[in-house]
Amino acid sequence: MASQRGGGLVQRRGNHVRTDEPNSSEQSEDLSGYPDEEEEHDSKETRLTLMEEILLLGLKDREGYTSFWNDCISSGLRGCILIELGLRGRVELEKAGMRRRSLLNRKILLKNPAPTGDVLLDEALKHIKETEPAETVQSWIEYLSGETWNPLKLRYQLRNVRERLAKNLVEKGVCTTEKQNFLLFDMTTHPLTDSNIKQKLIKRVQESVLSRWTNNAQRMEKRMLALIYLAHSSDVLENAFAPLSDDDYEIAMKRVRELLDLEFDQESMKEGTNDVLWAVVAAFSK
């Protein structure tokens, strides 16, 4: 089951949480949400996928690992994978039909089997392609996370997702790899090496609900909209808002709350929307 955040937004954990931030996504059929013209000088290699952005928000800068208490990020990353496939035109939701079936009752369908060039995305795409009958977004989040009681579906679990994404960040020059000893075991960690990338990401997240707030989800960049929802579901949104002043923090959280209170089925019916995005959001909000 997709991890839930209970009754809404996490409360501010204090003013001393350190965070830095990055750029945006990577090449896709839907470029909505990539940096604006002023950032065109950035190399293509620093474009991050939604999964990488969520992990980067969750990684502690110096320590190089996510909070041991965060049990939401695993399923959140699987939700990112589905949204990435939707934004890249590889999957879609079946039609709502005359009875206007809800987002959670509609199945994910293969739209384009062409590889994306991203190993994790292509692994998930292969599973979706090979599955008959089709499954819902909720089911796919469970299957890809390995959170299913059906032994026949366990083969769909994507393994070592965090470590594989962290290696992507290392390859893109955002993090490095170290070994740390934790009394009884050694753990591979990925401390931040390029704070500029992370700072840009945090700035973009902050601005999307402050200076660039549109007061209309349909006018927001799809990738940024997805990032805010999935950062909330993955319990890492606080890391982007922690550096804000108290006044800006309250405004930002109020606007995120407005996004969380939307009727997702209604939003998905509007022109130019992405059904897969809204279905994933609905799965984490139910």
Side-chain angles (χ1 to χ4, degrees), residues 66-223:
T66 56
S67 170
F68 292 124
W69 310 110
N70 188 338
D71 59 355
C72 305
I73 196 169
S74 178
S75 56
L77 289 172
R78 273 66 176 187
C80 288
I81 288 172
L82 295 177
I83 291 178
E84 274 283 1
L85 289 174
L87 292 178
R88 294 177 185 225
R90 298 310 195 273
V91 299
E92 61 185 350
L93 279 196
E94 62 182 347
K95 303 303 179 189
M98 296 291 291
R99 296 170 130 187
R100 304 304 306 176
R101 280 173 300 167
S102 72
L103 289 166
L104 294 178
N105 289 325
R106 292 158 62 187
K107 310 290 179 62
I108 283 192
L109 304 177
L110 183 70
K111 183 178 181 181
N112 179 357
T116 65
D118 181 284
V119 176
L120 276 174
L121 294 180
D122 290 342
E123 190 176 332
L125 187 63
K126 180 173 179 286
H127 290 325
I128 293 171
K129 178 181 177 181
E130 295 174 350
T131 300
E132 277 295 335
E135 300 277 5
T136 63
V137 161
Q138 177 82 40
S139 295
W140 273 116
I141 292 173
E142 294 173 3
Y143 298 161
L144 297 177
S145 303
E147 297 177 357
T148 174
W149 294 103
N150 186 340
L152 299 177
K153 304 296 184 181
L154 286 174
R155 65 191 179 93
Y156 295 142
Q157 181 181 2
L158 299 180
R159 301 184 182 278
N160 304 316
V161 168
R162 268 184 256 194
E163 182 61 26
R164 291 159 75 180
L165 290 172
K167 286 181 178 177
N168 289 351
L169 292 175
V170 171
E171 290 175 4
K172 293 180 179 183
V174 182
C175 298
T176 187
T177 301
E178 294 180 359
K179 287 278 188 184
Q180 285 198 33
N181 181 271
F182 288 87
L183 221 55
L184 299 177
F185 62 94
D186 288 332
M187 186 172 83
T188 301
T189 62
H190 300 281
L192 190 69
T193 56
D194 189 341
S195 61
N196 186 46
I197 301 273
K198 189 169 184 180
Q199 288 299 335
K200 284 182 180 178
L201 177 62
I202 291 177
K203 183 182 177 186
R204 287 176 49 238
V205 173
Q206 293 173 352
E207 288 180 345
S208 70
V209 291
L210 292 171
S211 61
R212 295 191 177 188
W213 176 244
T214 64
N215 201 30
N216 181 346
Q218 302 303 322
R219 292 172 56 203
M220 292 182 68
E221 298 168 339
K222 291 187 180 69
R223 286 180 175 276

